[in-house]
């Protein structure tokens, strides 16, 4: 009797232990901006057909869950087996190193080597995952509105002043509420800041104090907002570092020029349809260059998975050149896979005539970013800098702070964050 | 006994049987418990489930929050955080002048405190006046009185997020209000990026959303005032204004005090409607304490759980004072009622 009880207890314990993750079970936490949820599900179904011993579950969640709940799960040593994330550097300690698990680590280094530092702790050679999309900040212009106003679109090397002046003429002619808008995001104004000579990273790798480059562009931005050239709603009507996109105002033809990024292409194509023609403009120029800032969403393996070998197999499949190519073509995302980029010839799956040229423009602009901008994606303190910029600059725009006070506050906010993280 | 009555009795007995059976089972341990602990023990037994829930979901988080406020770091788990004592409180309270938020180390916290103070004054005053006026009107013999009572109470049933969204759709640049203004030949205004109008909107929407509840409390008070007092005043030829100041208001004072204190407590806690409506903007002009705590604790890229916990403890202390005030007011009302 005693023996039976012991056996039953052992069986219960082993059942409980295995209930959380059966061999072959892999959960993927995924968020979508557009159609990528459907595309990835399709690709995963194909994988499961070829690998019946591995069962994949795709948990489609809101982006907020990825931003706010996943970090807490990870802190507790919980979470999915794989996740699609954007906060890839700050949470790097939770990613699984796939180097000893993937079939060919050299393939990963060769094709994703340029962006692996974005998602691993400084000094590490780990392979935590890969970027599902490379993003680049840049502008969009409503070509139809420019034509109706009889204002020519500024050319390739046009400056920020050129663009704002041209957009202001369009806005005046077409009786629009404003000339342009930039998403309410520190990441978004960092490309222009760098183009005006800003460098956020100090010589010791720690955050530098706000420099003349940042001051130059932000001062212009504040001035444009005060004059009503920049749409006030986007930046002023929120507090803190809350993200606000101005895409809907561009889609509704309320502004002729919009500065956001490559990830908007699918969104604009879907929502604008054939209402008007639009073009991607790249980043307008400042004294130092015409730079956007790269970024991206990464698919990473989580350290706390119970099935690391299966996870590696899934990651190997999703990182395959043909799979990355298909994923990019169907989602209209820029690929971060070196082989796919170098071979080119991507056939974007869209009937919208604006899409192909827009994506090609972003691919071209990706080669023109400045080194100060390229330093930001793998930099640990980038988010702290971005958040402090948004919080304080919007206070200046609302008339609560002077620019001089704002510089001090930005430096203080970043210093507090660094001190808190130590 | 008729056939129908017999049937009814049988059905009743059949339905009651499982309950009786269950009671007979529970009865044995309960009797033993009562014998062992007396009637006091029985009270404790019945209170235990409620107290357990209160303890797990209120007291334990409160204690954990207190510990968080004495730590620093960006980690979420207490064992990974550094003990710093009262440093977070010192940081929050470090101010050159509490009247000038720019001189404060945590200027956004003090900005939120100032905004909340202003909101409380404006909202409590407006809520009290509007609820009182509505209650006085609904207490009169007007056509469709029940309908109007339901109309004024309806917003109370709405989720605060829905309330915020509805009014955002109305007040935003391309919203309903601007459409009406435009159609009437006026110049549309960007209401939510204007500091004065954004604040006014936050206060007004809050009053619109909750006044039904307070109107109901005042209406109950009005209906409890004896009619003969009004009849006597009428016979004496007293003017309506004098009747209001000399009869209605003094006799309504206990209810009015309850309304004021309840409104005060809720106004200090303002978050959801205002957050959805204005997002704390323009700038930080509608950033209130609860939003500050939420932002700094969870949402911001500059999140700091220790500082958020310390701010919430300070806010909790204010609420404790207000709650004690409410209890005192309530007890005074009860004593007065008992004397009368």
């Amino acid at each position: 009797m005693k023996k039976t009880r012991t056996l039953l207890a052992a069986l219960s314990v082993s059942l409980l232990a295995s209930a959380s993750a059966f061999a072959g079970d892999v959960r993927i936490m995924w968020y979508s901006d557009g159609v990528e949820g459907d595309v990835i599900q399709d690709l995963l179904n194909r994988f499961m057909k070829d690998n019946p011993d591995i069962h994949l579950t795709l948990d489609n969640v809101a982006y907020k869950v990825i931003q706010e709940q996943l970090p807490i799960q990870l802190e507790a040593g919980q979470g999915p087996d794989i996740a699609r994330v954007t906060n890839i550097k700050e949470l790097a300690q939770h990613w699984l190193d796939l180097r000893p698990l993937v079939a060919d680590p050299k393939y990963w280094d060769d094709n994703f080597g340029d962006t692996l530092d974005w998602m691993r702790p400084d000094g590490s050679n780990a392979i935590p995952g890969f970027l599902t999309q490379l993003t680049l900040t840049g502008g969009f212009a409503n070509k139809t509105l420019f034509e109706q106003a009889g204002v020519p679109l500024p050319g390739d090397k046009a400056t920020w002043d050129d663009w704002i002046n041209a957009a202001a003429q369009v806005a005046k002619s077409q009786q629009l509420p404003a000339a342009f808008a930039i998403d309410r995001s520190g990441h978004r104004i960092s490309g222009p800041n760098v183009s005006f000579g800003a460098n956020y990273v100090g010589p010791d790798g720690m955050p530098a104090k706000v420099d003349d480059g940042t001051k130059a562009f932000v001062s212009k931005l504040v001035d444009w907002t005060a004059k009503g050239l920049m749409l006030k709603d986007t930046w002023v009507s929120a507090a803190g570092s809350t993200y606000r996109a101005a895409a809907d105002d561009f889609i509704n033809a309320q502004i002729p020029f919009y500065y956001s990024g490559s990830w908007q292409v699918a969104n604009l194509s879907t929502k604008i349809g054939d209402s008007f023609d639009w073009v991607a403009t790249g980043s307008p120029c400042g004294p130092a260059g015409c730079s956007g800032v790269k970024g991206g969403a990464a698919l990473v393996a989580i350290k706390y998975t119970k099935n690391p070998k299966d996870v590696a197999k899934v990651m190997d499949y999703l990182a395959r050149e043909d799979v990355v190519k298909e994923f990019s073509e169907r989602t209209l995302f820029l690929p971060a896979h070196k082989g796919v980029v170098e071979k080119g010839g991507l056939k974007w799956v869209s009937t919208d005539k604006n899409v192909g040229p827009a994506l090609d423009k972003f691919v071209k602009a990706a080669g023109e970013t400045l080194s100060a901008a390229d330093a930001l994606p793998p930099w640990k303190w980038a988010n702290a800098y971005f958040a402090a910029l948004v919080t304080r600059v919007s206070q200046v725009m609302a008339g609560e702070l002077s620019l001089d006070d704002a510089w001090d506050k930005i430096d203080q906010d970043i210093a507090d964050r660094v001190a808190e993280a130590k | 006994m008729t056939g129908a009555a017999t049937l009814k009795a049988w059905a009743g007995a059949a339905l009651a049987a499982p309950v009786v059976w269950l009671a007979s089972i529970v009865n044995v341990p309960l009797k033993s418990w009562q014998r062992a602990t007396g009637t006091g023990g029985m009270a404790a037994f019945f209170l235990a489930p409620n107290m357990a829930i209160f303890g797990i979901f209120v007291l334990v988080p409160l204690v954990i929050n207190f510990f968080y406020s004495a730590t620093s770091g960006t980690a979420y788990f207490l064992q990974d955080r550094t003990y710093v004592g009262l440093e977070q409180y010192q940081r929050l309270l470090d101010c050159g002048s509490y009247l000038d938020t720019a001189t404060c180390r945590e200027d956004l916290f003090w900005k939120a405190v100032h905004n909340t103070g202003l909101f409380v004054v404006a909202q409590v005053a407006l809520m009290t006046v509007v609820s009182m006026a509505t209650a006085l009107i609904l207490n009169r013999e007007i056509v469709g009185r029940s309908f109007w009572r339901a109309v004024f109470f309806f917003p109370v049933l709405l989720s605060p997020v829905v309330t915020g969204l509805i009014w955002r759709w109305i007040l935003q640049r391309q919203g309903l209000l601007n459409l009406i203004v435009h159609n009437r030949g006026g110049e549309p205004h960007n209401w939510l990026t204007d500091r004065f109008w954004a604040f006014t909107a936050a206060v007004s929407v809050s009053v619109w959303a909750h006044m039904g509840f307070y109107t109901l409390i005042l209406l109950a008070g009005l209906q409890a005032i004896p009619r003969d007092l009004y009849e006597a005043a009428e016979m004496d030829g007293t003017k309506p204004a004098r009747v209001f100041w000399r009869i209605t208001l003094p006799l309504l004072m206990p209810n009015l005090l309850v309304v004021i204190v309840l409104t005060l407590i809720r106004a200090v806690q303002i978050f959801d409607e205002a957050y959805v409506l204005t997002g704390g903007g323009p700038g930080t002009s509608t950033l209130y304490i609860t939003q500050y705590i939420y932002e700094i604790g969870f949402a911001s890229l500059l999140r700091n759980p220790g500082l958020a916990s310390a701010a919430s403890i300070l806010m909790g202390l204010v609420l404790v004072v207000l709650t004690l005030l409410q209890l005192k007011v309530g007890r005074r009302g009860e004593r007065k009622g008992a004397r009368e």
Side-chain angles (χ1 to χ4, degrees):
Chain A
M1 186 66 186
K2 199 178 174 185
K3 207 173 175 181
T4 315
R5 272 192 200 156
T6 313
L7 269 171
L8 278 171
L11 187 66
S12 311
V13 169
S14 58
L15 269 173
L16 277 172
S18 59
S20 54
F22 291 106
D25 264 358
V26 175
R27 292 198 88 89
I28 303 173
M29 189 184 270
W30 185 271
Y31 76 92
S32 293
D33 287 320
V35 297
E36 65 268 36
D38 297 333
V39 176
I40 195 78
Q41 184 66 68
D42 188 26
L43 294 170
L44 295 178
N45 289 344
R46 264 187 255 164
F47 174 85
M48 282 191 282
K49 206 172 168 188
D50 295 340
N51 299 274
D53 53 327
I54 298 178
H55 181 255
L56 302 175
T57 306
L58 187 72
D59 294 320
N60 277 295
V61 298
Y63 181 60
K64 216 174 168 62
V65 174
I66 302 276
Q67 287 294 84
E68 291 178 14
Q69 292 178 24
L70 181 64
I72 296 167
Q73 289 180 23
L74 295 175
E75 286 276 354
Q78 302 286 318
D81 301 295
I82 297 172
R84 184 181 188 224
V85 293
T86 52
N87 201 0
I88 48 185
K89 186 74 174 184
E90 273 195 33
L91 300 172
Q93 74 271 22
H94 300 294
W95 310 151
L96 174 70
D97 181 9
L98 293 166
R99 186 170 289 281
L101 300 165
V102 292
D104 181 7
K106 190 174 176 304
Y107 167 85
W108 284 74
D109 287 333
D110 289 347
N111 290 296
F112 299 108
D114 291 349
T115 52
L116 285 176
D117 273 344
W118 299 14
M119 60 186 88
R120 59 190 175 195
D122 292 342
S124 158
N125 78 333
I127 300 177
F130 67 98
L131 289 189
T132 56
Q133 78 201 94
L134 183 73
T135 59
L136 179 69
T137 58
F140 298 93
N142 183 325
K143 198 177 163 201
T144 305
L145 279 175
F146 272 82
E147 283 168 0
Q148 284 171 351
V151 177
L153 281 167
D156 266 356
K157 293 290 171 189
T159 63
W160 272 95
D161 284 317
D162 295 336
W163 269 104
I164 304 311
N165 289 338
Q169 288 176 49
V170 177
K172 194 176 175 192
S173 153
Q174 303 300 301
Q175 295 181 316
L176 304 175
F180 80 108
I182 301 181
D183 290 337
R184 190 178 195 272
S185 152
H187 173 252
R188 232 62 93 234
I189 59 164
S190 292
N193 284 348
V194 167
S195 299
F196 275 72
N199 189 357
Y200 298 170
V201 188
D204 55 352
M206 297 305 286
K209 284 191 181 293
V210 174
D211 61 17
D212 289 344
T214 300
K215 289 178 183 175
F217 181 75
V218 168
S219 304
K220 272 181 180 290
L221 192 66
V222 169
D223 187 43
W224 287 328
T225 309
K227 287 177 178 163
L229 294 172
M230 178 156 113
L231 196 66
K232 214 174 173 186
D233 311 27
T234 320
W235 276 69
V236 179
S237 63
S241 57
T242 307
Y243 172 69
R244 287 262 162 97
D248 286 344
D249 291 292
F250 184 74
I251 290 163
N252 292 323
Q254 295 288 299
I255 43 172
F257 180 61
Y258 169 43
Y259 193 80
S260 182
S262 57
W263 60 94
Q264 292 286 1
V265 170
N267 185 34
L268 299 186
S269 173
T270 311
K271 292 184 179 163
I272 294 171
D274 56 2
S275 300
F276 59 82
D277 287 337
W278 51 274
V279 291
T281 66
S283 285
C285 301
C290 320
S291 186
V293 172
K294 287 174 187 160
L299 198 63
V300 288
I302 309 292
K303 196 158 76 174
Y304 316 110
T305 178
K306 301 279 190 297
N307 299 318
K309 284 182 182 166
D310 294 332
V311 166
K313 210 169 173 182
V314 177
M315 294 295 277
D316 259 337
Y317 163 75
L318 291 172
R320 249 168 46 190
E321 189 171 320
D322 60 322
V323 175
V324 170
K325 186 167 183 280
E326 183 185 339
F327 179 80
S328 301
E329 287 173 337
R330 290 173 64 185
T331 55
L332 308 180
F333 287 155
L334 303 183
H337 185 291
K338 202 173 178 184
V340 174
V341 175
E342 282 177 355
K343 283 178 190 162
L346 286 161
K347 294 183 182 70
W348 305 112
V349 181
S350 171
T351 53
D352 186 340
K353 66 179 190 310
N354 301 308
V355 165
L359 289 168
D360 292 343
K361 181 78 186 178
F362 275 109
V363 172
K364 186 170 170 263
E368 295 168 1
T369 50
L370 295 168
S371 58
D374 292 339
L376 296 178
W379 190 46
K380 189 181 174 185
W381 305 108
N383 279 338
Y385 223 110
F386 296 158
L389 275 173
V390 175
T391 305
R392 300 306 181 176
V393 172
S394 54
Q395 277 189 280
V396 176
M397 288 173 175
E400 291 178 1
L401 271 185
S402 70
L403 273 168
D404 286 337
D405 288 340
W407 310 138
D408 294 340
K409 294 283 183 193
I410 290 168
D411 289 336
Q412 183 63 57
D413 288 348
I414 297 167
D416 284 345
R417 176 64 179 180
V418 170
E420 202 62 33
K422 274 181 179 171
Chain B
M1 196 183 263
T2 64
T6 312
L7 194 65
K8 207 171 170 183
W10 271 98
L15 283 172
V19 180
V20 172
W21 176 75
L22 200 65
S24 66
I25 293 175
V26 176
N27 202 25
V28 179
L30 276 185
K31 272 190 170 168
S32 315
W33 175 259
Q34 189 173 5
R35 266 197 295 274
T37 62
T39 47
M42 287 307 286
F45 176 81
F46 285 113
L47 280 173
N50 195 22
M51 292 312 287
I53 291 169
F54 181 76
I56 292 166
F57 293 106
V58 178
L59 285 181
V60 173
L62 198 69
V63 173
I64 292 173
N65 195 36
F66 187 76
F67 282 121
Y68 265 97
S69 73
T71 61
S72 78
T74 49
Y76 280 107
F77 283 82
L78 272 175
Q79 67 268 25
D80 301 328
R81 298 178 59 80
T82 315
Y83 175 76
V84 293
L86 297 175
E87 207 174 89
Q88 304 285 16
Y89 295 95
Q90 283 168 349
R91 187 170 155 183
L92 283 174
L93 299 173
D94 180 8
C95 250
S97 160
Y98 289 115
L99 295 176
D100 180 6
T101 57
T103 63
C104 299
R105 173 91 164 74
E106 282 305 316
D107 61 317
L108 292 180
F109 171 72
W110 284 101
K111 189 88 189 157
V113 169
H114 280 213
N115 290 342
T116 307
L118 205 60
F119 180 87
V120 166
V121 171
Q123 201 252 19
V124 171
L126 194 64
M127 181 75 87
T128 311
V129 171
V130 173
S131 303
M132 170 73 104
T134 315
L136 286 171
I137 293 167
L138 293 179
N139 195 40
R140 297 167 77 98
E141 294 296 327
I142 56 170
V143 179
R145 189 164 68 162
S146 301
F147 169 75
W148 291 114
R149 282 179 185 176
V151 165
F152 283 103
F153 191 74
F154 180 70
V156 178
L157 304 176
L158 292 178
S159 146
V161 175
V162 173
T163 303
L165 280 175
I166 290 171
W167 282 97
R168 191 175 175 83
W169 287 331
I170 293 171
L171 297 170
Q172 65 191 6
R173 182 168 43 81
Q174 291 176 287
L176 186 66
L177 182 59
N178 273 344
L179 180 74
I180 295 168
V181 170
H182 178 72
N183 286 346
R184 291 185 168 272
E187 187 67 33
H189 188 71
N190 213 343
W191 308 101
L192 297 178
T193 60
D194 180 311
R195 292 162 76 176
F196 171 76
W197 285 112
F199 173 77
T200 307
V203 172
S204 308
V205 168
S206 172
V207 170
W208 177 84
H210 302 290
M211 62 167 275
F213 175 69
Y214 301 110
T215 300
L216 218 59
I217 294 176
L218 293 175
L219 201 55
L222 285 171
Q223 289 178 350
I225 299 173
R227 301 298 308 165
D228 50 0
L229 291 176
Y230 290 109
E231 286 163 9
E234 199 179 347
M235 285 170 70
D236 292 342
T238 316
K239 288 179 179 169
R242 196 173 164 79
V243 170
F244 174 75
W245 290 109
R246 295 293 175 154
I247 299 174
T248 309
L249 202 57
L251 291 175
L252 199 59
M253 202 45 86
N255 295 59
L256 203 58
L257 279 174
V258 169
V259 165
I260 290 171
V261 177
L262 283 179
T263 315
L264 203 68
I265 293 171
R266 288 198 70 157
V268 173
Q269 294 171 312
I270 178 73
F271 173 58
D272 21 29
E273 296 130 8
Y275 181 63
V276 175
L277 181 70
T278 65
T284 53
S285 54
T286 57
L287 174 74
Y288 301 116
I289 298 177
T290 317
Q291 185 184 342
Y292 169 84
I293 293 167
Y294 167 69
E295 294 264 350
I296 210 79
F298 301 103
S300 171
L301 293 171
L302 298 169
R303 67 176 69 111
N304 182 339
L307 198 64
S309 299
S312 72
I313 297 278
L314 291 180
M315 184 184 164
L317 289 176
V318 173
L319 288 172
V320 165
V321 171
L322 292 175
T323 308
L324 289 175
L325 183 69
Q326 183 204 354
L327 288 173
K328 197 175 174 186
V329 166
R331 280 182 192 145
R332 189 195 285 171
E334 279 170 21
R335 278 200 300 271
K336 202 175 172 188
R339 277 201 304 271
E340 285 161 359

